[in-house]
Amino acid sequence: MIPDQLTHWLLGRFGVSSLPILPAIENPTTSELVAAGAALAVILGAIGGIAFITWLGAWRTLWRDWLTSTDHKRIGIMYVVLALVMMARGVLEGAVMRTQQAFGLNGGFLTPEHFSELFSTHGTIMIFFVAMPLIIGLANYIVPLQIGARDMSFPVMNQISLGLTATGAALVMISLLLGKFSTGGWTAYPPYTGYDFNPGPGPDYWIWSVALAGLGTTMSGINFAVTIFKERAPGMTLFRMPLFTWTVLCAAIIMVFALPPLTVATLMLAADRYLDFHFFTNDLGGNMMNYVNLFWLFGHPEVYLLVIPAYGVFSESIATFSGKRLYGYASLVYATMAIAVLSFTVWLHHFFTMGQSANVNIVFGIASMCIAVPTGVKIYDWMATIFRGRIRMTVPMIYALGFFYLFVIGGLTGVMLANPTISYQVHNTLFLVAHFHNVIIPGVVFGLLSGYHYWFPKAFGFRLHEGWGRLTALLWIFGFSFTFFPLYALGFMGMPRRSASYTDPAFEPLMLVAFFGAALIVSALGSIVIQLWVSVRERESLAVPLGDPWNGRTLEWATSSPPPHYNFAVLPQVEDRDDFADAKAKGRAYMEPDAYEDIVMPNNTSLGMIICVSSTLLGLALVFYIWWLAILATGVIAVAFIARTFVLSTTHVIPADVIAAEHRAWLAGVHAAGPITRDAETRSANHGLASLELPTLAGAER
Amino acid sequence: MKHPTLHPGLNLGPHHGEAHEDAETLAFGFWVFLMSDLIIFGLMFATYVTMANPMGLAGGPGPKDAYDLTSVFVQTMILLASSLTFGMASLAMRFERGRGPITFWLSVTLLLGLAFLSLEVRDFAHMIEIGAVPSRSGFLSAFWGLVPLHALHVAAGCLWIMIMMIQMRTFGMVPLVKTRILRLGLFWHFLDLIWIGIFTIVYLGALA
Amino acid sequence: MSELNYQHEVRGYLTGFGLALLLTLVPFALTVWGGFGSVTTFVVLGGCALAQFVVQLRFFLHIDLRRQKREDLQLILFSILLLVIMAGGTIWIVGNLGMRMM
């Protein structure tokens, strides 16, 4: 009895049965083998990662230059790496689900429970640990460069945000090894996820991974908003800001105001599960409909939070690869603001069928349709930007064209769904699945992947391989089309979403088409990996150290690639919208300043890592009811945080002569190099110095 | 005082030099955080309102059984007074009256904060005694989600005051200490703003 | 900084305190001794709370209508707009559902 109590005290409800490898040995069905294989992949991946870093001898570098860094560029890269790793898992899970449904007539190879776990992790991962970190990562890297700042306003908080996001991702990954993840979908509606119906660790994994990552995102939002309002270079008025920065500002405002409802909803659900509260229970006056309401108060602004920065990326890359000033800058800014505000007024369209009166539905239906208007404005602005431009069909442009065609279709099916009567008809069918993938993949994923390709040379000093990039883009475009267009038809035919199998043989042919599409998307994922591998191998011939490979228009291209720790030797004096294009045209780019000054930069700190590790332990402790560990981890976080406030010297100075030497070396490289024309942009002659080209007729609008 | 204000709330003023300039970004960021926190409280209030009906009460103890209005009134007075005393501490800092007056007013604020908390804890204990616990009904869950959340904020504020008094002693009135007290002031006044909502909606609104 | 200024600003806080005190006493008194209809009571309660909100913002948090402070006011008003949309929407939607379940 005593040892039992001790184990219970030490390990909570964690036990041998929490290891998913055991059922696979006892009962080797395909479903269990898939689960065990995924667990094995995590273990092998972790061992492989550790071995690789040891082989490189990079542990010190990893700790000193990356994990403890407060540099917004390093933090941005770490966000993107996290997102890409998680994307691999998310895409593979999607492919497994497509495979299951392709052979799911009267069965398939997965148990319904395993299928539920898959769509829950797939959704949670793709939204919280792929799309969000990709956006925050790109924004982290680019925004301070675009506004001519040295870093974010709060570099340490930035690091903590990354730590908390990584915590959430780590918990989702660990759930493959210890216990099981939630089967309640990415929205985790109670009462199904309440304690009465689901006492296991699954919903707790969901709650803590999402709640902790959500806190990190709120802090990111505060950080971006303050950075953009307060750290702009002299002369950079709000209406001279590049459009990507504008979209990040709007997204940041959404983060600040839309993440609180998520925090409230998840913590209320946690209170129900842990402390026997009755916010959302069936009995004693709980109201589960309030959860749905609170969740979508977050959820709808969230999807705009995802897509708005993608609009920003397209605005930058379309203007650059058309060699023109962005058409309708002000209308794009106002449209973005309008979308950001309207995004807070439409959440009810996610639950038209819940039972409220028709009048309530109508109000939110009309508000939802209104969002199509500013979005339409944007599409026309981008098309007008391309019109008669100096167009190069590079990877970001291929993504942009795919985005135009496909996103408009996704938007139009959104207008259909904004109509409550239609929503009733297709409620909970694959039509809905097709719709939101149709806006998220061509909108968010294409936008962010084109941003990855566009800004990669800025971050690493060499371009990504163009050929593999084009193949990736085409595989995504066709893969998406083959996977999700059949789902619209299947939805109309009555195939419910989240269903592991079906009995109507009429569904099967289209399911097989979707399966083929999924294979294309998996190939796209492979193609991204190969592209990165090939690009690293050929980095010498792809090098663009001078910093401006695409004849860029905004400030991030006005510094070397990769940029120095302090970004700009001297903070730029901004005179125009698209300031770098203006500077190149007027010959004020690449000038040596009269004098260099010392630069104060924030110190490294291990606070972010301490919080990351402790909060991961906290999450695990809460999932498995290991109370001593929960208290210990909370204590460590509190003490580390308070101890940090007693550190007064948090900055170091980079002396002016060091800066001068580095800057002069770069300028010497610029003056020695031969500028290249746009025709040579994707050849190895491109070292990152663009020759001035006369604007085309339509481009000479000023 | 016709110099420009750099951020919302009480400004230190240009004679504070670096601290005044640093405060522009720091105080603005803190305001944005407060606005985010405001949404959290707002949704807790909304949940409370939607639960304050017979269905949410589920036959459990209601406002009339559970709330002690006298105690709430005293708490309100204490918190309002503490807002004033914190204001005095902020002014002492702004007008450079030295560490003595700042420490004095901060100590008074801290004592008032602790008094507020002990009264509140006493009320909570009473509610537990009569069975008005969160596991009894949705309505009581909403109460226990909202009012203790505010209490937790006040407790954090008290801890923050103590840390600032230690840092004032160890570091003196360096810019970082000043800007922290400035932000602590925003936090404290914000908590009183939330309390207006609590006594109006949670207590008076439910009893009226 | 002159002594006059200090006195002036202390008076600002005291004014705010006095007004806030008044706006607290009225609703408490009304609830305890009032015999008005519930509609009147709710209107007065809401009015006093809003007024006290404004008083505290003005005298304790120094948010006012001066032009150079317009941006601060906009931040707060924007937050309150979103708060009204979210909290008001929640009460409307969940209340509507509750009524239809009676």
Side-chain angles (χ1 to χ4, degrees):
Chain A
M1 203 59 202
I2 298 301
D4 255 18
Q5 277 173 348
L6 186 69
T7 337
H8 186 72
W9 188 83
L10 268 178
L11 293 175
R13 62 170 164 174
F14 181 82
V16 188
S17 60
S18 307
L19 300 169
I21 214 93
L22 292 179
I25 297 168
E26 285 165 11
N27 177 26
T29 61
T30 323
S31 191
E32 292 294 353
L33 287 177
V34 170
L40 206 63
V42 173
I43 297 174
L44 290 179
I47 293 175
I50 291 169
F52 184 64
I53 295 166
T54 315
W55 178 68
L56 288 175
W59 284 106
R60 262 188 81 85
T61 325
L62 182 70
W63 178 257
R64 203 188 45 214
D65 293 349
W66 292 90
L67 298 180
T68 59
S69 173
T70 47
D71 182 346
H72 71 96
K73 299 184 287 297
R74 298 264 157 106
I75 291 175
I77 290 171
M78 287 189 278
Y79 263 116
V80 174
V81 169
L82 174 74
L84 292 177
V85 169
M86 297 306 284
M87 184 162 88
R89 176 172 167 196
V91 166
L92 291 176
E93 282 175 337
V96 172
M97 283 190 284
R98 285 285 117 246
T99 315
Q100 158 68 18
Q101 286 197 331
F103 306 107
L105 184 61
N106 300 319
F109 59 92
L110 293 181
T111 59
E113 205 205 359
H114 191 179
F115 190 80
S116 307
E117 216 181 313
L118 278 171
F119 67 67
S120 305
T121 46
H122 173 80
T124 308
I125 286 176
M126 286 304 201
I127 297 288
F128 292 102
F129 304 115
V130 176
M132 298 281 275
L134 258 181
I135 284 165
I136 295 175
L138 278 184
N140 238 306
Y141 200 98
I142 297 303
V143 164
L145 287 167
Q146 277 197 333
I147 60 173
R150 300 220 182 279
D151 207 322
M152 302 281 281
S153 285
F154 307 114
V156 178
M157 192 164 87
N158 201 12
Q159 196 194 42
I160 296 172
S161 298
L162 171 65
L164 288 172
T165 308
T167 294
L171 286 175
V172 181
M173 289 313 255
I174 292 171
S175 76
L176 278 177
L177 301 177
L178 311 176
K180 276 193 155 74
F181 199 75
S182 173
T183 50
W186 84 280
T187 50
Y189 284 178
Y192 177 68
T193 51
Y195 189 82
D196 291 344
F197 298 94
N198 224 327
D204 298 323
Y205 262 123
W206 181 87
I207 287 171
W208 299 116
S209 62
V210 166
L212 291 168
L215 280 183
T217 309
T218 313
M219 288 194 255
S220 288
I222 295 172
N223 216 338
F224 284 128
V226 177
T227 304
I228 295 172
F229 272 117
K230 297 292 179 189
E231 309 289 334
R232 299 192 307 276
M236 174 73 80
T237 57
L238 281 175
F239 273 79
R240 281 182 186 165
M241 292 197 314
L243 215 85
F244 180 67
T245 300
W246 261 116
T247 56
V248 171
L249 176 61
C250 290
I253 291 170
I254 296 181
M255 287 181 208
V256 169
F257 292 107
L259 267 297
L262 177 70
T263 310
V264 169
T266 49
L267 292 186
M268 280 178 172
L269 186 58
D272 276 9
R273 290 181 59 85
Y274 285 83
L275 303 170
D276 197 19
F277 275 52
H278 290 275
F279 285 116
F280 310 128
T281 53
N282 272 339
D283 55 346
L284 293 175
N287 187 350
M288 66 285 263
M289 271 95 106
N290 191 27
Y291 176 90
V292 179
N293 169 67
L294 289 172
F295 183 85
W296 289 110
L297 265 172
F298 146 79
H300 197 85
E302 162 78 11
V303 299
Y304 283 90
L305 188 171
L306 300 179
V307 84
I308 284 177
Y311 294 160
V313 177
F314 284 127
S315 303
E316 301 289 331
S317 61
I318 287 174
T320 304
F321 291 108
S322 304
K324 273 178 67 183
R325 232 174 132 91
L326 196 61
Y327 180 89
Y329 173 91
S331 65
L332 279 167
V333 171
Y334 288 124
T336 309
M337 290 189 206
I339 294 174
V341 174
L342 280 175
S343 75
F344 284 97
T345 63
V346 299
W347 74 96
L348 183 125
H349 70 212
H350 294 269
F351 46 97
F352 276 145
T353 57
M354 195 163 75
Q356 60 279 18
S357 70
N359 287 345
V360 182
N361 278 352
I362 289 167
V363 169
F364 285 89
I366 292 173
S368 309
M369 292 180 198
C370 287
I371 289 197
V373 177
T375 315
V377 168
K378 286 175 161 247
I379 300 273
Y380 283 108
D381 278 338
W382 291 318
M383 291 199 295
T385 306
I386 293 178
F387 181 63
R388 297 182 84 173
R390 172 81 169 87
I391 302 168
R392 288 96 70 193
M393 267 311 198
T394 50
V395 175
M397 281 303 258
I398 296 174
Y399 277 119
L401 293 187
F403 161 77
F404 283 167
Y405 288 113
L406 299 175
F407 189 77
V408 167
I409 297 173
L412 288 175
T413 55
V415 177
M416 289 168 68
L417 284 169
N419 190 328
T421 48
I422 298 181
S423 181
Y424 264 86
Q425 281 304 310
V426 294
H427 173 73
N428 231 5
T429 67
L430 285 181
F431 187 86
L432 181 72
V433 175
H435 161 70
F436 68 71
H437 283 89
N438 196 352
V439 276
I440 287 183
I441 293 179
V444 183
V445 178
F446 288 10
L448 295 177
L449 287 178
S450 77
Y452 162 74
H453 192 93
Y454 179 62
W455 281 308
F456 187 91
K458 178 47 60 188
F460 295 100
F462 58 96
R463 290 179 289 117
L464 283 169
H465 191 277
E466 192 70 21
W468 282 103
R470 288 178 192 179
L471 179 67
T472 310
L474 291 173
L475 282 172
W476 267 112
I477 290 170
F478 286 104
F480 163 79
S481 306
F482 277 109
T483 312
F484 292 100
F485 286 136
L487 300 195
Y488 278 123
L490 284 166
F492 273 135
M493 290 157 75
M495 168 79 190
R497 69 189 292 208
R498 292 178 171 175
S499 176
S501 65
Y502 46 88
T503 51
D504 186 346
F507 296 158
E508 203 170 27
L510 285 172
M511 284 294 187
L512 288 170
V513 176
F515 174 60
F516 169 68
L520 290 184
I521 292 182
V522 172
S523 318
L525 184 70
S527 180
I528 289 177
V529 178
I530 296 171
Q531 182 201 32
L532 189 62
W533 173 255
V534 171
S535 310
V536 172
R537 210 183 52 200
E538 296 176 8
R539 60 186 177 279
E540 300 295 326
S541 69
L542 294 167
V544 285
L546 303 180
D548 181 22
W550 320 119
N551 196 12
R553 312 184 59 78
T554 40
L555 278 182
E556 76 268 29
W557 306 106
T559 180
S560 61
S561 287
H565 176 41
Y566 43 84
N567 290 353
F568 300 94
V570 175
L571 286 184
Q573 183 73 41
V574 179
E575 294 177 10
D576 191 24
R577 184 183 299 164
D578 287 6
D579 189 65
F580 187 51
D582 184 67
K584 284 187 285 190
K586 292 187 179 149
R588 61 182 172 87
Y590 305 118
M591 301 284 276
E592 191 173 331
D594 301 331
Y596 292 93
E597 280 176 19
D598 292 352
I599 294 175
V600 180
M601 295 301 291
N603 284 345
N604 282 4
T605 166
S606 48
L607 184 65
M609 277 313 285
I610 294 174
I611 289 183
C612 176
V613 172
S614 319
S615 56
T616 307
L617 289 176
L618 173 64
L620 279 178
L622 290 171
V623 167
F624 288 107
Y625 297 174
I626 311 172
W627 306 123
W628 64 269
L629 184 59
I631 294 165
L632 181 70
T634 313
V636 169
I637 294 172
V639 169
F641 184 75
I642 291 172
R644 167 77 193 177
T645 65
F646 280 85
V647 180
L648 279 192
S649 73
T650 56
T651 54
H652 63 277
V653 174
I654 304 175
D657 48 340
V658 174
I659 295 158
E662 286 182 8
H663 193 232
R664 286 187 186 124
W666 172 61
L667 285 179
V670 168
H671 295 310
I676 52 116
T677 65
R678 290 305 96 205
D679 296 323
E681 190 169 61
T682 54
R683 302 196 199 125
S684 61
N686 186 353
H687 294 300
L689 183 65
S691 69
L692 268 183
E693 289 182 30
L694 284 178
T696 55
L697 202 61
E701 58 186 72
R702 285 194 308 118
Chain B
M1 52 157 276
K2 288 296 155 244
H3 49 78
T5 42
L6 293 184
H7 57 80
L10 183 75
N11 276 228
L12 285 170
H15 58 287
H16 284 270
E18 194 192 334
H20 179 53
E21 283 159 26
D22 290 352
E24 177 177 2
T25 307
L26 295 171
F28 178 67
F30 199 74
W31 266 99
V32 178
F33 158 73
L34 289 180
M35 293 299 105
S36 189
D37 211 18
L38 178 71
I39 302 289
I40 290 189
F41 276 110
L43 292 172
M44 298 304 294
F45 277 117
T47 302
Y48 180 85
V49 172
T50 61
M51 292 282 198
N53 54 46
M55 222 188 299
L57 280 163
K64 289 204 169 56
D65 318 306
Y67 299 159
D68 174 1
L69 203 56
T70 320
S71 172
V72 174
F73 180 71
V74 178
Q75 287 167 38
T76 308
M77 288 299 122
I78 291 177
L79 206 59
L80 184 59
S82 80
S83 221
L84 178 70
T85 56
F86 205 109
M88 293 302 112
S90 306
L91 284 184
M93 180 168 74
R94 172 166 146 77
F95 289 90
E96 299 187 300
R97 289 301 170 97
R99 253 176 26 215
I102 304 177
T103 314
F104 170 75
W105 286 116
L106 281 183
S107 315
V108 175
T109 312
L110 177 63
L111 288 178
L112 290 172
L114 293 174
F116 170 84
L117 282 177
S118 44
L119 276 180
E120 211 166 27
V121 167
R122 208 196 54 159
D123 283 2
F124 293 159
H126 170 71
M127 284 179 69
I128 292 172
E129 216 169 277
I130 63 163
V133 287
S135 53
R136 180 61 192 84
S137 75
F139 169 77
L140 287 165
S141 294
F143 173 88
W144 284 90
L146 171 56
V147 181
L149 181 71
H150 178 268
L152 212 59
H153 275 71
V154 176
C158 289
L159 181 66
W160 191 355
I161 293 180
M162 288 187 237
I163 292 173
M164 287 328 296
M165 298 213 296
I166 296 170
Q167 294 194 345
M168 273 166 60
R169 281 188 71 88
T170 6
F171 303 135
M173 295 305 287
V174 296
L176 203 57
V177 169
K178 287 189 201 170
T179 52
R180 280 182 184 150
I181 294 178
L182 205 63
R183 281 174 279 172
L184 175 53
L186 296 177
F187 186 66
W188 201 266
H189 293 311
F190 170 77
L191 293 183
D192 201 21
L193 281 183
I194 298 297
W195 186 257
I196 301 175
I198 291 184
F199 81 71
T200 307
I201 296 173
V202 174
Y203 292 113
L204 298 184
L207 289 172
Chain C
M1 282 282 149
S2 66
E3 195 62 16
L4 184 75
N5 246 335
Y6 177 72
Q7 295 300 347
H8 176 75
E9 295 195 20
V10 169
R11 249 201 316 277
Y13 275 88
L14 288 174
T15 316
F17 180 74
L19 286 173
L21 194 63
L22 183 73
L23 290 166
T24 307
L25 291 176
V26 170
F28 270 96
L30 191 71
T31 316
V32 176
W33 295 300
F36 303 101
S38 63
V39 177
T40 325
T41 314
F42 279 126
V43 168
V44 175
L45 282 183
C48 284
L50 276 182
Q52 184 169 178
F53 205 76
V54 173
V55 163
Q56 293 209 8
L57 275 179
R58 166 70 187 82
F59 291 99
F60 292 169
L61 287 160
H62 304 270
I63 304 294
D64 55 44
L65 296 173
R66 260 179 300 156
R67 173 148 301 193
Q68 53 165 338
K69 288 185 175 177
R70 240 4 109 66
E71 280 185 12
D72 311 341
L73 190 64
Q74 280 163 0
L75 170 72
I76 292 166
L77 287 180
F78 180 71
S79 313
I80 289 174
L81 169 73
L82 291 184
L83 181 69
V84 168
I85 291 175
M86 291 190 198
T90 299
I91 293 169
W92 185 38
I93 294 165
V94 180
N96 182 280
L97 272 164
M99 251 149 58
R100 284 163 67 89
M101 286 194 299
M102 292 286 180

